[in-house]
Amino acid sequence: MSDGRTGPLPGGGAGGAGSDVHAVAAAAFEEVASAADLRVLDAVRARYLGRGDGLLTVFRKRIGSIPDAEARRALGQTVNALVERLTGAVDERRASLSDVGTDGASEAIDLSWPPPPLRRGHLHPVSRVFRDVRRIFGQLGYIAVEGPEVEYDRYNFTLVNMPPGHPSRDTQDTFFIDDDRVLRTHTSPVQIRSMLVRGAPQRVIVPGKVYRRDYDATHFPMFFQVEGICIDEGIALSDLKGTLEFFARSVYGADRSIRLRPHHFEFTEPSVELDVSCAMCGGKGCRLCKGSGWLEVAGAGMIHPHVLGNGGIDASRYSGFAFGIGIERIAMLAYGIEDGRLLYENDVRFVSQG
Ligand SMILES: [Zn+2]
């Protein structure tokens, strides 16, 4: 442990021992101040203040052997004061080293340290499908319009042929805000709003969120629809079919076939559902299409004359069709997602897939 700065106590006068202890202490303060981390500081503390053979401790032990009482007392006071000051210096240094961690790094920022890799963001599958749908219908001259998500009962139900007491209201799993307002259960109320504002002819799509009290692999309490309406003189079911065919082939590929199945909606007459031939099996039947070879992607129909009238449009002159497309459904089919809840659970492992 000896570094040559401390010899044995000189046998002579106390003055010699006193100057020796000051030299040892001076070295100790210097080492404490320059200790680069806590490990080094602990070693310095042990070297000078260690219980058994610490360099200052040794002085203290030998004080008793000094014959002159006055010199003994003077050296005792000197050594005690130095031990106290050094202990304080060690504690202070320890506190400042603890602030910057044990690796001895200074508080300065190391600009050469490599940053974590940047992760490039991308669009959510639902956003991509929305963008595609807007583009596809944009090519056909449709404009996109929006409407309120908190909607009056009469727009959500009454004016689209679901008056109070109508049994179909029960199937809508509605979130009620109060007696007069709901979270819209479909984008159809915007049909009425658009008719009242724009009259005829018009071609609009209504992309937006809708709400139902429902949650499983294919149903969500909030989901996205695109409603579309086309109103003009002489619009027929064949126009609807052509439009949906263009849409389906744009989204799913030119080789896909479509079919319209009769269905029932309150606000269209006749009503149909749109099926697209299954991408997985090419129509032969598989798990995705439940063996049918077809996948259902939209509901549609000719706008009911009552609904045209509710929108202020002369149903004896104009006719029109409407369709509603489930965006999640398209995203699930396009990206092979089996459980649509993944779309909204924000699991980074899922949403970060390019
Ligand atoms: Zn299939």
Side-chain angles (χ1 to χ4, degrees):
M1 269 290 179
S2 174
D3 57 7
R5 281 185 291 232
T6 59
L9 276 172
S19 57
D20 250 13
V21 80
H22 281 294
V24 170
F29 282 115
E30 208 170 285
E31 286 183 50
V32 168
S34 63
D37 60 40
L38 293 174
R39 205 169 38 79
V40 172
L41 183 66
D42 279 339
V44 172
R45 197 197 60 80
R47 174 153 60 233
Y48 291 96
L49 299 171
R51 228 174 244 281
D53 57 355
L55 297 176
L56 283 177
T57 313
V58 167
F59 273 102
R60 209 180 220 172
K61 281 179 177 172
R62 291 181 186 172
I63 288 169
S65 65
I66 296 174
D68 178 66
E70 191 58 31
R72 197 163 62 226
R73 204 172 54 81
L75 185 61
Q77 283 176 351
T78 301
V79 171
N80 282 343
L82 286 172
V83 165
E84 201 175 306
R85 274 178 52 208
L86 187 62
T87 304
V90 168
D91 290 345
E92 222 168 86
R93 183 69 185 147
R94 184 186 307 282
S96 76
L97 287 174
S98 300
D99 283 346
V100 296
T102 57
D103 60 355
S106 75
E107 288 182 59
I109 294 167
D110 180 358
L111 293 177
S112 69
W113 193 254
L118 283 178
R119 285 166 61 157
R120 192 168 174 169
H122 55 80
L123 291 174
H124 189 278
V126 167
S127 304
R128 285 194 200 185
V129 171
F130 251 124
R131 191 180 269 197
D132 288 347
V133 168
R134 281 175 184 259
R135 181 179 46 78
I136 291 163
F137 284 103
Q139 291 169 3
L140 297 176
Y142 285 73
I143 59 164
V145 303
E146 294 184 357
E149 289 172 27
V150 175
E151 184 57 279
Y152 290 106
D153 175 291
R154 67 179 182 281
Y155 285 103
N156 195 77
F157 294 123
T158 307
L159 296 176
V160 290
N161 275 356
M162 289 188 271
H166 194 285
S168 65
R169 285 187 173 215
D170 294 342
T171 67
Q172 299 263 325
D173 299 313
T174 310
F175 287 108
F176 292 93
I177 302 291
D178 54 32
D179 286 347
D180 198 28
R181 292 175 301 171
V182 301
L183 287 180
R184 67 181 180 191
T185 59
H186 47 190
T187 41
S188 301
V190 190
Q191 284 190 24
I192 299 292
R193 290 179 175 276
S194 182
M195 287 181 215
L196 290 172
V197 170
R198 292 180 184 80
Q202 66 168 292
R203 270 174 287 181
V204 303
I205 55 168
V206 185
K209 298 190 198 85
V210 300
Y211 302 85
R212 306 268 180 117
R213 289 188 290 111
D214 212 349
Y215 194 44
D216 61 34
T218 53
H219 298 88
F220 323 105
M222 180 214 79
F223 55 102
F224 289 90
Q225 276 189 344
V226 171
E227 183 102 3
I229 60 173
C230 171
I231 299 169
D232 205 341
E233 293 182 33
I235 295 290
L237 193 63
S238 55
D239 299 309
L240 171 61
K241 186 179 180 193
T243 302
L244 292 177
E245 194 162 40
F246 177 79
F247 164 74
R249 289 187 172 153
S250 299
V251 171
Y252 296 108
D255 55 338
R256 310 298 289 279
S257 37
I258 70 159
R259 70 175 184 187
L260 299 179
R261 272 182 298 107
H263 198 72
H264 172 75
F265 299 108
E266 277 66 31
F267 30 90
T268 47
E269 179 60 37
S271 301
V272 295
E273 280 195 317
L274 169 68
D275 293 342
V276 175
S277 58
C278 177
M280 289 271 272
C281 60
K284 288 195 275 297
C286 70
R287 194 164 55 94
L288 184 64
C289 57
K290 300 195 177 87
S292 71
W294 296 94
L295 297 165
E296 175 200 326
V297 295
M302 299 305 291
I303 300 171
H304 198 289
H306 287 170
V307 175
L308 285 174
N310 291 340
I313 288 174
D314 179 0
S316 65
R317 180 176 171 195
Y318 293 102
S319 57
F321 61 75
F323 53 86
I325 298 164
I327 295 297
E328 289 81 1
R329 180 94 180 144
I330 291 175
M332 289 169 72
L333 297 178
Y335 299 109
I337 300 162
E338 287 195 23
D339 188 336
R341 285 172 290 199
L342 285 167
L343 291 169
Y344 298 124
E345 286 173 352
N346 290 331
D347 183 332
V348 162
R349 290 168 300 177
F350 172 80
V351 296
S352 64
Q353 293 175 87

